[in-house]
Amino acid sequence: MKTIAERLKDAREKCGLTQPQLAAGAGVSAGTIGNIEAGTRKNPRELLAIAKALGVLPQWLRDGSGPRYPDGADNANISEGPSIKGHVPLLTSVQAGEWAEIAGSFSRDDALDWLPCPVNHGPRTFCLEVEGESMRNPGAKPSYDPGDVIFVDPDRCEKPLDRVVARLEGQGKATFKQYLEEDGRKLLKALNPDWKPRYIEINGNAVICGVVIGKWVPE
């Protein structure tokens, strides 16, 4: 990708966002995103906000130099087999929803398995097998199929456009969705365009259990 237009479009599509959705997450106009992708703006002053909304490094977005992501890994879609950087517990969706309460007393035998995390992570990171079709986004990236394993770091602060694991009020199981902030509201979004309901407003009725930092597709 030789131009900022190509890099922006690629990063936006990996996040599963339209131009207006990215604009809302970055606090810029939809026209700004459209102009950059059209190649009419090559050095936008809004670059820092756009890079933050996409979770990429500003220098990569500006000129393609350096790593794409802050940890040097493609944390939007890690599809290769993991390397050994520390094993983390594979949890059930119920355990994931209770992780803040049980992490301190969690023993090795309480996990379904222990898997090596492919990226740098915090000490309370866990992994979770994707259930259902809500985050399957046919023909686009990112997309998560049932059976994929996601790695979740509770010590990262969520920001708009992150994929997160959250526990909704009154539900024991955790759910996996994209986190958005629009017009003062906080939302969880299913990446699957046919999923109902696709948006869940979570102002005050959900706990974010962690931010997704990678995906592993088991062979």
Side-chain angles (χ1 to χ4, degrees), residues 88-92 95 99 106-114:
V88 300
L90 176 65
L91 305 184
T92 68
Q95 289 173 325
W99 190 235
F106 198 79
S107 70
R108 189 169 187 85
D109 292 337
D110 292 331
L112 297 172
D113 200 353
W114 287 77

Side-chain angles (χ1 to χ4, degrees), residues 8-113:
L8 176 58
K9 183 177 180 181
D10 181 76
R12 175 177 62 78
E13 290 179 346
K14 281 187 181 296
C15 287
L17 297 171
T18 64
Q19 289 182 355
Q21 287 171 335
L22 173 56
V28 303
S29 70
T32 294
I33 304 299
N35 289 337
I36 298 171
E37 291 192 6
T40 59
R41 294 192 61 187
K42 296 180 172 60
N43 189 25
R45 64 178 182 275
E46 303 90 350
L47 184 137
L48 288 177
I50 295 170
K52 182 178 179 180
L54 290 169
V56 301
L57 288 171
Q59 60 266 32
W60 174 85
L61 186 59
R62 179 184 294 109
D63 55 28
S65 65
R68 179 174 182 145
Y69 295 100
D71 57 11
D74 185 348
N75 59 8
N77 184 24
I78 297 170
S79 57
E80 298 179 355
S83 59
I84 302 298
K85 288 194 177 181
H87 287 64
V88 300
L90 176 65
L91 305 184
T92 68
S93 56
V94 173
Q95 289 173 325
E98 299 173 343
W99 190 235
E101 292 81 24
I102 67 174
S105 59
F106 198 79
S107 70
R108 189 169 187 85
D109 292 337
D110 292 331
L112 297 172
D113 200 353

Side-chain angles (χ1 to χ4, degrees), residues 15 17 21-22 25 53-54 159-163 178-180:
C15 287
L17 297 171
Q21 287 171 335
L22 173 56
L54 290 169
K159 62 182 185 299
L161 311 183
D162 279 342
R163 271 77 67 195
Q178 186 176 49
Y179 175 75
L180 300 176

Side-chain angles (χ1 to χ4, degrees), residues 91-196:
L91 305 184
T92 68
S93 56
V94 173
Q95 289 173 325
E98 299 173 343
W99 190 235
E101 292 81 24
I102 67 174
S105 59
F106 198 79
S107 70
R108 189 169 187 85
D109 292 337
D110 292 331
L112 297 172
D113 200 353
W114 287 77
L115 300 178
C117 184
V119 295
N120 294 328
H121 58 274
R124 298 191 301 149
T125 295
F126 63 89
C127 56
L128 189 66
E129 186 173 305
V130 175
E131 300 176 359
E133 302 279 341
S134 70
M135 294 296 278
R136 187 172 183 270
N137 192 12
K141 292 183 179 180
S143 180
Y144 302 85
D145 292 321
D148 288 352
V149 175
I150 54 174
F151 292 83
V152 186
D153 191 341
D155 297 312
R156 293 202 182 189
C157 183
E158 72 278 0
K159 62 182 185 299
L161 311 183
D162 279 342
R163 271 77 67 195
V164 302
V165 170
R167 185 184 70 209
L168 299 175
E169 188 176 80
Q171 296 186 16
K173 292 185 176 182
T175 186
F176 171 37
K177 296 291 186 291
Q178 186 176 49
Y179 175 75
L180 300 176
E181 293 181 4
E182 295 181 358
D183 300 324
R185 299 182 303 156
K186 297 180 180 181
L187 305 166
L188 295 178
K189 174 190 175 183
L191 295 182
N192 187 336
D194 297 322
W195 191 261
K196 300 290 188 292

